[in-house]
Amino acid sequence: MSNENKKGKLVVLSGPSGCGKDTVLNCLCEMDERFCPSVSATTRAPRDGETDGVHYYFISKDEFERRIENGEFVEYVEYNRNYYGTLRSEIENAVNAGRIIVLVIEVQGAANIIAQFPDAESVFLMPPSMSVLEERLRNRGTESEETIRRRLEIAKEEMEKSRLYKHVVVNDELEKTVQTVHDILTLYTSEQ
Ligand code: 5GP
């Protein structure tokens, strides 16, 4: 499972909750079939419109802990009182199939991946400002006031860690952002 084998590519994409990571990834997958999302496992409850096996593998805490014991995760974290983790099998299958697999994960997990796979590409998506981020979180309308406030606090801490990433992209205009991220990741790929 290496990025040096000219097969697939491993990419971590992070950014505060509400900064548009999932939208950017969806657009990348639509514009270029080499891209695919990594489906993480989590113990948090599904939000409206989320499907098991598509957005996440929604599993119980017991099941998550059993899989930790089994060594099934490349990385996992406890975030906002829930477990989130990347399954080794997700990455292996995609990289072996020559895909550009994108892990949308928070900064601690990203640091873990970057340490294990130095050749992995990493992109931090910045919101244009804190007030825009707050507005996006509120407009999503899926979270309580307390969760929004906690996510904004986490966002501040995460933005301070953006220097860990090879690339930082400000998501002010979706189309431009997607093109920039695509160029960064595919130009790098074609050089190999
Ligand atoms: P959400 O609850 O909004 O879907 O996700 C909360 C945070 O967990 C987001 O920053 C998301 O990127 C991150 N996350 C999702 N899956 C994983 C994972 O497998 N590992 C890690 N470390 N973070 C994840």
Side-chain angles (χ1 to χ4, degrees):
M1 194 163 66
S2 157
N3 263 9
E4 285 173 292
N5 59 13
K6 295 192 180 182
K7 279 190 152 184
K9 175 167 291 293
L10 181 56
V11 177
V12 288
L13 175 65
S14 304
S17 190
C19 77
K21 290 164 294 188
D22 293 324
T23 311
V24 168
L25 176 55
N26 286 340
C27 293
L28 284 171
C29 294
E30 272 172 27
M31 81 190 273
D32 187 332
E33 63 184 14
R34 284 173 293 176
F35 283 85
C36 66
S38 166
V39 180
S40 294
T42 185
T43 57
R44 87 148 159 75
R47 297 193 188 112
D48 277 354
E50 285 184 332
T51 309
D52 185 41
V54 175
H55 299 94
Y56 282 105
Y57 300 110
F58 294 101
I59 60 178
S60 67
K61 189 162 180 267
D62 283 352
E63 173 71 7
F64 202 104
E65 287 173 348
R66 190 190 63 75
R67 292 188 182 203
I68 294 173
E69 287 293 302
N70 237 3
E72 290 181 35
F73 292 108
V74 188
E75 64 76 35
Y76 71 91
V77 286
E78 247 187 294
Y79 177 95
N80 208 7
R81 296 177 196 158
N82 280 300
Y83 281 128
Y84 293 81
T86 306
L87 293 158
R88 192 175 300 279
S89 56
E90 283 283 308
I91 299 185
E92 278 177 354
N93 293 342
V95 171
N96 290 336
R99 311 293 299 275
I100 303 174
I101 181 164
V102 183
L103 278 55
V104 177
I105 59 181
E106 53 67 64
V107 290
Q108 195 183 324
N112 204 332
I113 293 286
I114 291 165
Q116 288 182 67
F117 308 101
D119 293 323
E121 275 300 297
S122 50
V123 178
F124 191 91
L125 211 55
M126 278 281 184
S129 68
M130 279 311 277
S131 54
V132 169
L133 183 68
E134 184 168 351
E135 193 185 307
R136 286 183 191 166
L137 278 177
R138 287 190 193 288
N139 287 347
R140 201 150 76 173
T142 51
E143 263 121 333
S144 67
E145 184 60 31
E146 193 207 340
T147 305
I148 290 174
R149 259 187 285 117
R150 212 161 49 225
R151 281 180 187 266
L152 286 172
E153 277 310 306
I154 295 173
K156 276 189 206 146
E157 290 165 23
E158 287 183 330
M159 280 153 67
E160 282 162 18
K161 304 227 176 75
S162 60
R163 65 186 177 284
L164 287 174
Y165 294 72
K166 289 185 184 167
H167 311 278
V168 176
V169 177
V170 177
N171 187 15
D172 44 6
E173 203 186 300
L174 181 64
E175 211 172 307
K176 204 176 74 194
T177 304
V178 172
Q179 194 59 55
T180 304
V181 175
H182 182 267
D183 288 350
I184 288 171
L185 298 176
T186 55
L187 289 178
Y188 178 88
T189 302
S190 59
E191 274 167 18
Q192 291 204 326

